Amino acid sequence: MNFNHLSAMSRALRWASLGEDPWGATGLGETATPTQRKIIYDDHREILLSGGKGAAKSMAGAGRVMKVIAGEPGHRALAVRKSGNDLMASTVESLAFLIARIAEPEIEEKDVTADTLKILPDDLVQWKNRPILHLYFPLSNSRLYLRHLEDSESLGSHQRGVIWIDEASEVKQSAYKEATKRIRLKGCTQQVIATTNPPMVGDHWLLEEFPIGDCEDDFIELSPEKCVYQVSTRENAHNLTPAHWAHLESLPEQERRWVLEGRLSAVFGMGPRIFPQFARKIHVADALSPYEGRPILRGWDVGPLCKHLS
């Protein structure tokens, strides 16, 4: 792939456009979801984007971060994920795709990895390992720090503008609270963006930080500084394979609310999981054939899926 066929001036102009409209600058306007278009302009101090699997949550977070990075000279942002492998394989790949589209407008997402950032023109982005891992953007003199929380839940001691926590349900509440205290870089956007699948337990800290109750609305403003997006995978159906879509549609009703509809409200009032090891593939069967001469033991689960007691 040739990333140098555009002139440095063309890249600079496209970079400036990224700070205004990431989807237009990268040529992704036609495929961007409604939520992706909204969130890049959202200036709430704390944003939670709860979405179904395949709802393009990470790309929405990446779009917002890159708009700020390109549009605010001198910005210092931070992208966080619990797992180091997932940080590179998902979070950073989403960022890399948007950055690569500035140098090569026709490149496809499947052709981009985190390592792509190391071969892009130096005037666009530079991969830095010291003093800590980060991306440097010369055209706006901005930096995006990358951090996983496998060994420590600490976010470091530096001031940041925007902090993006990808798959926030995986990290501890203490990390989220620390993030809200670190967004104090003067003269720039100060914001924490948390993107995540809905947690599968009703006592998760996200429901404490974003108390939406059983509200099913797609957008909920909890205060002038805090809001929640609940995003269905249906928004991004045009980018999914028919097989993946069929799988999502075949899920049981309650599971669809989590996995497909992305409702944080789906776990309201559920409480903690009694048997955390439960896995539908292992513990649930569509049909059983009794063995002759063997006793049949019958049980009853009075959990939230039990419609007879609702």
Side-chain angles (χ1 to χ4, degrees):
M1 180 66 69
N2 178 16
F3 290 111
N4 290 291
H5 70 91
L6 292 180
S7 68
M9 178 62 73
S10 294
R11 288 194 292 269
L13 291 173
R14 290 171 62 80
W15 179 259
S17 297
L18 189 68
E20 299 175 1
D21 176 12
W23 313 125
T26 55
L28 299 173
E30 292 185 3
T31 59
T33 69
T35 299
Q36 287 175 342
R37 295 189 186 99
K38 294 174 186 174
I39 204 168
I40 59 172
Y41 299 110
D42 196 319
D43 59 1
H44 285 85
R45 183 177 174 84
E46 297 177 56
I47 299 174
L48 174 64
L49 172 53
S50 173
K53 290 187 177 181
K57 304 176 297 299
S58 291
M59 194 59 70
R64 174 58 179 168
V65 170
M66 291 313 303
K67 181 180 185 299
V68 174
I69 286 285
E72 298 183 3
H75 198 94
R76 300 293 184 268
L78 174 65
V80 177
R81 190 153 179 175
K82 176 66 176 179
S83 162
N85 288 336
D86 291 341
L87 175 67
M88 291 298 159
S90 179
T91 309
V92 176
E93 277 194 7
S94 296
L95 293 161
F97 178 53
L98 296 182
I99 299 167
R101 294 276 296 195
I102 298 300
E104 174 46 71
E106 301 301 321
I107 195 169
E108 297 183 20
E109 189 171 3
K110 65 180 179 61
D111 297 320
V112 175
T113 69
D115 286 337
T116 303
L117 292 165
K118 300 177 182 179
I119 61 174
L120 289 173
D122 285 349
D123 60 284
L124 182 60
V125 60
Q126 298 172 20
W127 182 283
K128 303 285 188 179
N129 289 310
R130 296 180 180 180
I132 56 177
L133 181 61
H134 70 281
L135 305 175
Y136 174 59
F137 304 94
L139 291 169
S140 56
N141 189 31
S142 301
R143 298 178 190 270
L144 174 58
Y145 295 88
L146 308 171
R147 191 178 187 90
H148 69 75
L149 304 180
E150 288 180 353
D151 304 319
S152 169
E153 291 292 323
S154 173
L155 302 182
S157 59
H158 298 84
Q159 299 179 13
R160 306 296 182 209
V162 168
I163 296 179
W164 172 28
I165 304 177
D166 198 16
E167 288 303 337
S169 63
E170 298 173 355
V171 308
K172 294 181 179 178
Q173 186 174 16
S174 58
Y176 181 81
K177 287 186 174 296
E178 183 181 352
T180 63
K181 297 174 183 177
R182 294 286 172 213
I183 49 170
R184 55 177 189 268
L185 194 64
K186 293 182 179 179
C188 66
T189 298
Q190 299 174 353
Q191 186 175 67
V192 176
I193 307 167
T195 53
T196 190
N197 292 124
M200 301 287 279
V201 292
D203 61 343
H204 197 279
W205 62 264
L206 279 172
L207 283 87
E208 178 184 336
E209 296 290 340
F210 297 89
I212 66 169
D214 58 357
C215 182
E216 294 283 319
D217 293 349
D218 293 339
F219 176 78
I220 306 155
E221 186 175 58
L222 294 170
S223 74
E225 293 195 339
K226 183 179 289 192
C227 69
V228 176
Y229 291 84
Q230 298 189 106
V231 186
S232 171
T233 307
R234 300 179 194 280
E235 278 196 7
N236 196 42
H238 56 284
N239 289 321
L240 302 178
T241 64
H244 182 62
W245 184 251
H247 165 69
L248 294 176
E249 290 277 26
S250 70
L251 294 172
E253 179 182 355
Q254 180 68 12
E255 198 167 344
R256 280 205 309 273
R257 294 185 67 213
W258 286 315
V259 180
L260 176 58
E261 301 300 342
R263 302 294 103 169
L264 180 67
S265 56
V267 297
F268 175 71
M270 284 182 58
R273 297 181 73 177
I274 304 302
F275 182 48
Q277 296 81 11
F278 174 80
R280 180 171 295 277
K281 289 184 179 179
I282 298 174
H283 300 109
V284 175
D286 292 331
L288 290 175
S289 299
Y291 290 93
E292 258 187 65
R294 297 290 184 91
I296 297 177
L297 303 179
R298 301 179 65 186
W300 190 263
D301 178 5
V302 288
L305 300 184
C306 179
K307 296 182 179 179
H308 301 288
L309 299 180
S310 60

